[in-house]
């Protein structure tokens, strides 16, 4: 069975500071990995995804993530956080083949940005 | 291109009643997945429909059911509502075919409150 762990429930950073949100997954092979963001009362917006190839992936809004197979991690980073980045962030994992479009999500990390 | 739409956005029902939620995917997308989001359990996969057939099912009781129409629009139904069914129900659509996991685009959700 696949699973995702987001160890940080809440993170507070100052505007302009760098950000790293942690994500660890459990899966028997190389999964497909995603990061989504959710603003209050909204659905989920896809930030970036890893399917294969280059382990450093770029996404929207200046976010990037690095897939590290040896650590079973897919951490999300941003060099300089903006106040509008305050939201909840979810890491998700899915089976590349045979599992359809089922995603397993982590419990989320709530990001607060201090001005 | 219009995004995923869900109706209604908000719903209040009484225990024991049933409810039907609707999801219209992005034009051309044939896969529709449903997720339940609660503070206690997080985001959990309910089921996925592809070409009018249920392709995947999560670990939910039989009170939760769904269907998909020939135009790819999907409905989910919850019968005999319980207080614990109060949640944000999210629908996601994907262009993926042949069983491979694809990018999923989420709607804004339907907030269901059971009293």
């Amino acid at each position: 069975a696949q699973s995702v762990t987001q160890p940080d429930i809440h993170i507070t950073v100052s505007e302009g500071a760098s950000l790293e949100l942690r994500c660890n997954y459990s899966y028997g092979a190389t999964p497909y990995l995603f990061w989504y963001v959710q603003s209050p009362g909204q659905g989920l917006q896809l930030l970036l995804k890893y399917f294969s190839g280059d382990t450093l992936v770029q996404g929207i809004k200046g976010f990037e993530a690095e897939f590290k197979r040896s650590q079973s991690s897919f951490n999300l980073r941003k060099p300089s956080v903006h106040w509008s980045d305050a939201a909840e962030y979810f890491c998700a994992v899915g089976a590349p083949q045979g599992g359809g479009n089922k995603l397993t999500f982590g419990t989320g990390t709530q990001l607060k940005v201090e001005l | 291109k219009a995004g995923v739409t869900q109706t209604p956005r908000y719903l209040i029902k009484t225990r024991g009643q049933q409810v039907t939620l609707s999801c219209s995917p992005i034009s051309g997308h044939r896969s529709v997945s449903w997720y339940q989001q609660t503070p206690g359990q997080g985001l959990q996969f309910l089921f996925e429909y592809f070409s009018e057939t249920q392709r995947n099912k999560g670990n939910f009781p039989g009170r939760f059911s769904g269907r998909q129409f020939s135009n790819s629009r999907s409905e989910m139904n919850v019968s005999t509502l319980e207080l614990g069914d109060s949640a944000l129900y999210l629908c996601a659509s994907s262009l993926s075919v042949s069983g491979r996991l694809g990018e999923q685009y989420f709607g804004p959700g339907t907030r269901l409150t059971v009293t």
Side-chain angles (χ1 to χ4, degrees):
Chain A
Q2 58 205 37
S3 65
V4 177
T5 302
Q6 292 181 249
D8 304 305
I9 299 173
H10 296 99
I11 282 186
T12 300
V13 299
S14 299
E15 191 176 33
S18 63
L19 171 70
E20 182 169 28
L21 302 182
R22 296 183 290 165
C23 171
N24 291 95
Y25 68 88
S26 174
Y27 184 71
T30 300
Y32 284 2
L33 295 157
F34 305 82
W35 275 99
Y36 284 88
V37 62
Q38 185 178 37
S39 297
Q42 303 295 315
L44 301 174
Q45 182 182 23
L46 179 65
L47 285 174
L48 47 78
K49 64 184 186 293
Y50 173 78
F51 283 2
S52 64
D54 193 346
T55 56
L56 184 63
V57 295
Q58 303 296 321
I60 62 171
K61 303 185 179 186
F63 286 94
E64 67 178 26
E66 186 170 13
F67 169 61
K68 292 186 177 179
R69 187 193 311 273
S70 61
Q71 298 176 21
S72 297
S73 69
F74 188 57
N75 294 348
L76 182 71
R77 301 193 295 248
K78 186 169 185 179
S80 177
V81 169
H82 188 262
W83 64 266
S84 60
D85 293 324
E88 190 155 24
Y89 292 79
F90 293 92
C91 181
V93 64
Q97 185 76 39
N101 281 305
K102 175 184 176 181
L103 291 179
T104 299
F105 285 88
T107 50
T109 297
Q110 186 72 48
L111 174 65
K112 180 180 175 183
V113 180
E114 289 183 333
L115 300 176
Chain B
K1 189 180 275 190
V4 178
T5 59
Q6 293 188 243
T7 57
R9 291 292 311 278
Y10 302 91
L11 207 49
I12 300 175
K13 289 287 189 179
T14 304
R15 266 182 305 175
Q17 289 186 316
Q18 73 162 9
V19 67
T20 299
L21 312 182
S22 179
C23 171
S24 292
I26 293 170
S27 177
H29 287 194
R30 292 163 60 191
S31 166
V32 173
S33 299
W34 289 89
Y35 292 82
Q36 181 196 65
Q37 185 177 24
T38 60
Q41 299 299 316
L43 279 153
Q44 294 187 287
F45 174 79
L46 278 156
F47 31 65
E48 178 200 5
Y49 285 86
F50 180 80
S51 293
E52 301 179 64
T53 301
Q54 189 180 86
R55 183 159 72 172
N56 262 308
K57 189 177 188 305
N59 189 26
F60 278 82
R63 301 185 296 107
F64 292 81
S65 62
R67 60 178 175 168
Q68 187 179 35
F69 302 94
S70 58
N71 62 357
S72 294
R73 188 177 71 86
S74 177
E75 290 181 346
M76 69 162 282
N77 183 277
V78 188
S79 62
T80 319
L81 284 165
E82 301 176 359
L83 294 178
D85 297 333
S86 294
L88 182 67
Y89 290 88
L90 293 163
C91 161
S93 77
S94 175
L95 188 59
S96 75
V97 295
S98 65
R100 283 199 82 78
L101 178 61
E103 291 182 21
Q104 292 189 64
Y105 298 88
F106 282 80
T110 294
R111 172 74 63 185
L112 172 65
T113 302
V114 182
T115 62

